[in-house]
Amino acid sequence: MPRPARSTRRRLAWGTAAVLAAGVAVPTLAQATPGGGPASAGASAGATAAGSAAASPASGHKAKNVIVLIGDGMGDSEITLARDYTVGANGRLNMDGFPRTGAYTTYSVDEKGKPEYVTDSAASGTGWATGNKTVNGRISKTPGTDKPLPTMLELAKKKGLATGNITTADLTDATPAVQNAHVRDRGCQGPADMKKCPRDTLGQGGGGSIAEQTVTTGADVLMGGGKEHFDQTVTEGPHKGRTVTEQARKAGYRLVTDKSGLESATPGTPLLGLFARSDIPVEWTGKPAARGGTDPQRCTTSNPERPDTTPSLERQTSRAIELLEAQQKGKNGKAKVKGHGKKPGKGFFLQVEGASIDKQDHVADPCGQIGETVAFDRAVKVARDYARKHPDTLVVTSADHAHASQIVPTDAKPAGLASTLITDEGRPLQVSYSNNDPAAAQEHTGTQVRIAASGPGADRVQGVTDQTDLFHTVTGALR
Amino acid sequence: MPRPARSTRRRLAWGTAAVLAAGVAVPTLAQATPGGGPASAGASAGATAAGSAAASPASGHKAKNVIVLIGDGMGDSEITLARDYTVGANGRLNMDGFPRTGAYTTYSVDEKGKPEYVTDSAASGTGWATGNKTVNGRISKTPGTDKPLPTMLELAKKKGLATGNITTADLTDATPAVQNAHVRDRGCQGPADMKKCPRDTLGQGGGGSIAEQTVTTGADVLMGGGKEHFDQTVTEGPHKGRTVTEQARKAGYRLVTDKSGLESATPGTPLLGLFARSDIPVEWTGKPAARGGTDPQRCTTSNPERPDTTPSLERQTSRAIELLEAQQKGKNGKAKVKGHGKKPGKGFFLQVEGASIDKQDHVADPCGQIGETVAFDRAVKVARDYARKHPDTLVVTSADHAHASQIVPTDAKPAGLASTLITDEGRPLQVSYSNNDPAAAQEHTGTQVRIAASGPGADRVQGVTDQTDLFHTVTGALR
């Protein structure tokens, strides 16, 4: 029997969360299940192990810091492909090492709340950022009523935590946007892009474009690509006539655009890193998959179109943690900008996205895809290394949805696009991208995806949960 | 850096296991990791949660009984498809409810032990049944040297446990065979099929065909299809001139071929259930996927070609448990056949396979595939219900490999075969089968697959492990 499409069975963390959630069903006060999801069938079964999960030191502990790392489009197939190619079938990636693991469901809904079995990145991100399902394309607003939903970054900031949000895509792209903004359509990235979001303009009482809302939400550390959207001119409200970049400077942000800028950033001054005009160029290159396959190829672990001055996601992540931690420790003197200074003992919340796993999967480029997965995995290592020294840190890694790529036998003849790679352990591996017209972008899939975690609250990712449960896992751990 | 393809890092359980393993590297005495696999990156990280796993009551406890349930070809995509269609995107299957969950890698190896990224069911089954990787097509024998490897069912029997092995395929098909037999090629199912296994014939000192070895290995409960292989005539050895069925009767087996036979079986007499000439007919029917897709369809939850007298996998599982448990309790009087009688306190080992998830995926039949997944899930419920009342039972469910089907957006145009279903919650769902030539069988994939467990030893399935680690999880729990 179908159950309601939204997860209304968990207590909403932080009373504030319900305030903005007008227009959607008010969550009940049903007791949270230890497995971390609506897995009713499992809650009472396998008593020994379930009991131990509930009683383990990892559950019930409060987290000081939370780092959420999202591999966009990084289904189990994408993870396995990156592992096979780099460390080998019997090797292990950094992301493989989390002690608590499960799967979560990723579907979105239509305007009436009925399930759509394949989500896009906007609806899926809204799921974990707000704990609510929404329609494909929407950024942290409800289905049907189109009302803003508070995000975990906003709630963390309100609670006094230092906050950060990093991506390899445009900073205004869906996955970072779901934490920073509330718009009807993900396309409304800059002031000139508001056609699909008439009610979100400042003139209509909305928050403006994603770029403008990113500045007004005001995370302490913001990094990604997408400078072109921030260089658009604001058309309404107090910043009319300024670019969004100028608006950010006015709000105290220091704008950096390359490695050396990133290295020179200091705590207490909010940081806006915009390292590319649109998406940050990928790290690896190779032949895209083709009809009938490719000759066996080795990937090139560099990209001539990626300037040397572009910081890696790994370094962005380590710098973000340094800056956010310095704020929480009260290091580096007093706040230089109001609201972005010392927050002793308060901890931080950071979201990190590896965005172009998805984008390279769409264009059926296995080398690009693997390189981005590996780059993301290095960012995971940064987070895990930090958590090892700071066990009061909850680290969660997952994906927003699964994707097209499949590892198939070397003698298979995929119906669409394919490529044969020679892996680092010297073995042939064929990848198929065949779930859409070969002339079009390959598609997301509706498969459940892996979620893995360490630290306080990590137990809640076990079993089968829903994407919306991650909101409760994070806010519950920070409560 | 690639690591050796075989998992040699874990202590082999039960000293006997190493004896037959001549020709493969001798396992080292490296300490078992709490996560249950070669996840070196994870062993020391996320200390809080990992520590709790090691210390939880579920680990370190001894299991009396073990039930291993394998959905053949049941990757996360196949699980999600069955969930979406039947209980809805927000519903939960029985298999979703396990408290401990992880993923395992499923690759096979070539004759030299180098990885092959996509496994078949013979090599993958050999992985969990023996703890060793082998080449595609081989049944519980080593790569290269082609030596027999002891299986968990054989080891359990040697230890005095009652044993059972059930499938919806031929009982001589790869997945049941990996517990019962040792042959060079999975095709050597009956005495007339030995062409590819010249060294496995009785005349050459081997164990004979898979059917013959199934009888000589002598599990207490054996059920499946494939009567045609057992009706072949033995050509060598003491049973020369008899059919394998006659050989089984001679060994004390009671042969049953339908529901009423199954119901009349009694403990103490070993049971051979052969419910179909070859594979047991599937439960559901519908239109197969087609080029350009199908009209939206609802599945028919019956199959005119499946006789009413055919027992479900669910009932096979519950009867197997009743019979095996009665033996262990010493119920129903004394042993009627030597070696198959009272085993007070010893417990049982049972493997259950839902075989035709894979077979329907190969032929791109989504309704057939979903029906078999649901039938398998009902068998999972039987096992979980038993374990709820008998917490000294380790229940593990997993797959042998992932498969072709992908849930794609309703407006996608898959390059190969596709079908649109209307799910039980009334929503359209498109499935793509496009990873091989549309005119050929669709293919397995190399993606890691889900493993889930409850009961003593369940902690060991967490994180990323390898298929071979399941051997150690089971034998470790029974030690």
Side-chain angles (χ1 to χ4, degrees):
Chain A
M1 191 171 54
R3 297 201 264 128
R6 281 185 54 254
S7 176
T8 56
R9 308 180 66 253
R10 312 290 301 285
R11 181 167 24 191
L12 252 195
W14 305 342
T16 49
V19 176
L20 290 179
V24 293
V26 176
T28 67
L29 292 174
Q31 198 189 357
T33 54
S40 56
S44 60
T48 310
S52 79
S56 80
S59 67
H61 270 204
K62 203 170 140 61
K64 182 175 177 185
N65 313 303
V66 175
I67 307 173
V68 173
L69 303 112
I70 301 292
D72 201 305
M74 192 182 70
D76 279 21
S77 184
E78 285 71 23
I79 294 170
T80 310
L81 178 56
R83 182 191 305 117
D84 285 350
Y85 187 88
T86 59
V87 292
N90 195 37
R92 290 294 177 261
L93 300 169
N94 295 301
M95 71 177 90
D96 293 337
F98 285 92
R100 288 292 186 271
T101 46
Y104 71 26
T105 52
T106 67
Y107 66 99
S108 54
V109 295
D110 69 5
E111 295 286 2
K112 292 179 180 164
K114 301 281 185 193
E116 303 275 6
Y117 299 113
V118 184
T119 189
D120 85 323
S121 296
S124 65
T126 297
W128 77 76
T130 74
N132 290 272
K133 295 281 184 193
T134 196
V135 300
N136 286 344
R138 195 155 300 172
I139 301 289
S140 294
K141 296 186 84 177
T142 56
T145 51
D146 194 33
K147 302 283 183 200
L149 291 157
T151 75
M152 56 169 78
L153 186 147
E154 290 169 337
L155 294 169
K157 192 175 164 67
K158 194 172 228 171
K159 206 174 151 67
L161 278 75
T163 53
N165 198 350
I166 311 176
T167 180
T168 54
D170 290 11
L171 183 54
T172 49
D173 203 4
T175 306
V178 295
Q179 297 287 6
N180 294 330
H182 310 269
V183 292
R184 184 179 179 84
D185 190 275
R186 59 186 288 176
C188 303
Q189 297 191 58
D193 309 319
M194 294 300 288
K195 197 172 284 177
K196 287 189 173 170
C197 306
R199 291 169 52 201
D200 295 314
T201 60
L202 290 170
Q204 291 298 314
S209 67
I210 293 170
E212 291 161 88
Q213 292 190 47
T214 297
V215 173
T216 50
T217 295
D220 302 288
V221 175
L222 292 165
M223 291 191 267
K227 190 164 184 298
E228 63 184 338
H229 304 293
F230 287 85
D231 286 344
Q232 291 179 15
T233 302
V234 178
T235 57
E236 294 177 302
H239 298 285
K240 187 176 173 178
R242 290 191 184 110
T243 65
V244 187
T245 314
E246 288 164 353
Q247 176 185 341
R249 283 209 175 94
K250 192 89 182 163
Y253 277 94
R254 173 170 180 181
L255 175 67
V256 302
T257 57
D258 58 15
K259 267 183 192 172
S260 65
L262 175 61
E263 295 306 324
S264 68
T266 53
T269 304
L271 178 69
L272 177 62
L274 295 172
F275 304 118
R277 199 176 152 273
S278 54
D279 295 331
I280 295 178
V282 299
E283 302 224 358
W284 290 18
T285 49
K287 283 178 229 157
R291 288 173 205 248
T294 64
D295 288 339
Q297 65 170 323
R298 293 274 301 151
C299 297
T300 302
T301 58
S302 62
N303 176 7
E305 292 177 19
R306 183 183 167 96
D308 284 345
T309 53
T310 311
S312 64
L313 186 63
E314 176 185 16
R315 185 57 185 147
Q316 288 183 53
T317 303
S318 62
R319 280 299 282 149
I321 291 174
E322 285 165 18
L323 294 168
L324 296 172
E325 196 195 27
Q327 276 194 214
Q328 77 170 231
K329 283 203 175 159
K331 268 186 196 164
N332 290 59
K334 54 195 166 189
K336 284 143 200 153
V337 176
K338 190 168 174 265
H340 295 278
K342 284 196 265 183
K343 298 173 183 181
K346 278 293 191 183
F348 65 83
F349 168 82
L350 173 63
Q351 178 175 296
V352 179
E353 185 201 21
S356 291
I357 304 164
D358 167 87
K359 294 175 198 301
Q360 296 299 302
D361 222 328
H362 277 305
V363 299
D365 186 328
C367 288
Q369 179 186 316
I370 294 168
E372 292 306 289
T373 311
V374 169
F376 174 74
D377 192 54
R378 285 194 293 261
V380 170
K381 182 174 191 303
V382 169
R384 300 208 67 209
D385 286 348
Y386 180 81
R388 203 167 285 125
K389 291 178 195 149
H390 301 83
D392 50 0
T393 304
L394 169 64
V395 182
V396 185
T397 191
S398 192
D400 51 355
H401 52 76
H403 220 301
S405 65
Q406 293 185 313
I407 301 162
V408 295
T410 50
D411 59 355
K413 298 187 186 313
L417 306 169
S419 176
T420 297
L421 308 173
I422 303 298
T423 66
D424 285 357
E425 55 188 346
R427 304 289 296 167
L429 182 158
Q430 187 176 203
V431 198
S432 165
Y433 297 86
S434 303
N435 73 4
N436 201 8
D437 185 329
Q442 297 304 301
E443 282 289 3
H444 301 177
T445 75
T447 308
Q448 63 195 31
V449 297
R450 179 175 191 257
I451 178 168
S454 66
D459 280 352
R460 293 175 67 144
V461 308
Q462 297 178 109
V464 178
T465 58
D466 182 70
Q467 200 147 45
T468 53
D469 291 314
L470 176 51
F471 174 82
H472 301 287
T473 297
V474 168
T475 55
L478 286 173
R479 195 178 294 138
Chain B
M1 190 170 57
R3 295 203 265 128
R6 283 185 54 252
S7 175
T8 56
R9 308 181 67 253
R10 312 289 301 288
R11 181 167 24 189
L12 251 195
W14 304 341
T16 50
V19 176
L20 291 179
V24 295
V26 176
T28 67
L29 292 174
Q31 196 189 0
T33 54
S40 56
S44 60
T48 310
S52 79
S56 80
S59 67
H61 270 205
K62 203 173 141 58
K64 182 175 176 184
N65 314 302
V66 174
I67 307 173
V68 173
L69 303 112
I70 301 292
D72 200 305
M74 192 182 71
D76 278 22
S77 185
E78 284 72 23
I79 294 170
T80 309
L81 178 57
R83 181 190 306 116
D84 285 351
Y85 188 89
T86 59
V87 292
N90 196 37
R92 290 295 178 262
L93 300 170
N94 296 301
M95 71 178 90
D96 293 337
F98 285 91
R100 288 291 185 270
T101 47
Y104 71 25
T105 51
T106 67
Y107 66 99
S108 53
V109 295
D110 70 4
E111 295 286 2
K112 292 178 181 166
K114 300 281 186 193
E116 303 276 6
Y117 300 113
V118 184
T119 190
D120 84 324
S121 297
S124 65
T126 297
W128 77 75
T130 74
N132 289 273
K133 295 282 185 194
T134 196
V135 299
N136 285 344
R138 195 156 301 172
I139 302 290
S140 294
K141 297 186 85 177
T142 57
T145 50
D146 195 34
K147 302 283 184 199
L149 292 157
T151 74
M152 56 169 78
L153 185 147
E154 290 169 337
L155 294 169
K157 192 175 163 67
K158 194 172 228 170
K159 208 175 150 64
L161 278 75
T163 53
N165 198 350
I166 310 177
T167 180
T168 53
D170 290 12
L171 184 54
T172 49
D173 202 4
T175 306
V178 295
Q179 298 287 6
N180 294 330
H182 310 268
V183 292
R184 185 177 179 87
D185 191 274
R186 60 186 286 175
C188 303
Q189 297 191 56
D193 308 321
M194 294 300 288
K195 197 172 284 178
K196 287 188 174 171
C197 305
R199 289 168 54 199
D200 295 315
T201 60
L202 291 170
Q204 291 297 314
S209 68
I210 293 171
E212 291 162 87
Q213 292 190 47
T214 298
V215 173
T216 51
T217 295
D220 302 288
V221 175
L222 292 164
M223 291 191 268
K227 190 162 184 297
E228 62 184 338
H229 304 292
F230 286 86
D231 286 344
Q232 291 179 15
T233 302
V234 177
T235 57
E236 293 178 300
H239 298 286
K240 187 175 172 179
R242 289 190 184 111
T243 64
V244 187
T245 314
E246 287 164 353
Q247 176 185 342
R249 284 211 174 95
K250 193 89 182 165
Y253 277 95
R254 173 170 178 179
L255 175 68
V256 302
T257 57
D258 58 15
K259 266 184 191 171
S260 65
L262 176 61
E263 296 304 324
S264 68
T266 53
T269 303
L271 178 69
L272 177 61
L274 295 172
F275 303 118
R277 197 173 153 275
S278 55
D279 295 331
I280 295 177
V282 298
E283 302 225 357
W284 289 17
T285 50
K287 283 178 230 157
R291 288 172 204 249
T294 63
D295 289 337
Q297 64 170 324
R298 293 274 301 150
C299 297
T300 302
T301 57
S302 61
N303 177 6
E305 292 176 19
R306 183 183 168 94
D308 284 347
T309 52
T310 310
S312 64
L313 187 63
E314 177 186 16
R315 187 55 186 148
Q316 289 182 53
T317 303
S318 62
R319 281 298 283 149
I321 292 174
E322 286 165 18
L323 293 169
L324 295 172
E325 196 195 26
Q327 277 193 214
Q328 77 170 231
K329 283 201 173 160
K331 266 187 197 164
N332 290 61
K334 54 195 164 188
K336 283 146 202 151
V337 176
K338 190 165 175 266
H340 295 279
K342 285 196 264 182
K343 298 172 185 184
K346 279 293 191 183
F348 65 82
F349 168 82
L350 173 64
Q351 177 176 298
V352 178
E353 183 201 21
S356 292
I357 304 164
D358 166 86
K359 294 175 199 299
Q360 297 298 302
D361 222 327
H362 277 305
V363 299
D365 186 328
C367 289
Q369 178 186 318
I370 293 167
E372 293 306 289
T373 312
V374 169
F376 175 74
D377 192 54
R378 285 194 295 260
V380 170
K381 182 173 190 301
V382 169
R384 299 207 68 211
D385 286 348
Y386 180 80
R388 204 167 284 123
K389 291 179 196 149
H390 301 83
D392 51 0
T393 303
L394 168 63
V395 182
V396 184
T397 192
S398 191
D400 51 355
H401 52 76
H403 220 299
S405 65
Q406 293 185 313
I407 302 162
V408 296
T410 50
D411 59 355
K413 299 187 186 311
L417 306 169
S419 176
T420 297
L421 308 174
I422 303 299
T423 65
D424 284 357
E425 56 188 345
R427 304 289 295 167
L429 183 158
Q430 188 176 202
V431 199
S432 165
Y433 296 85
S434 303
N435 72 3
N436 201 8
D437 185 330
Q442 297 304 300
E443 281 290 3
H444 302 178
T445 76
T447 308
Q448 63 195 31
V449 297
R450 178 176 192 256
I451 178 166
S454 66
D459 280 352
R460 295 176 67 145
V461 308
Q462 296 178 109
V464 178
T465 57
D466 182 70
Q467 200 148 46
T468 53
D469 291 314
L470 176 51
F471 173 82
H472 301 286
T473 298
V474 168
T475 55
L478 286 173
R479 195 178 294 138

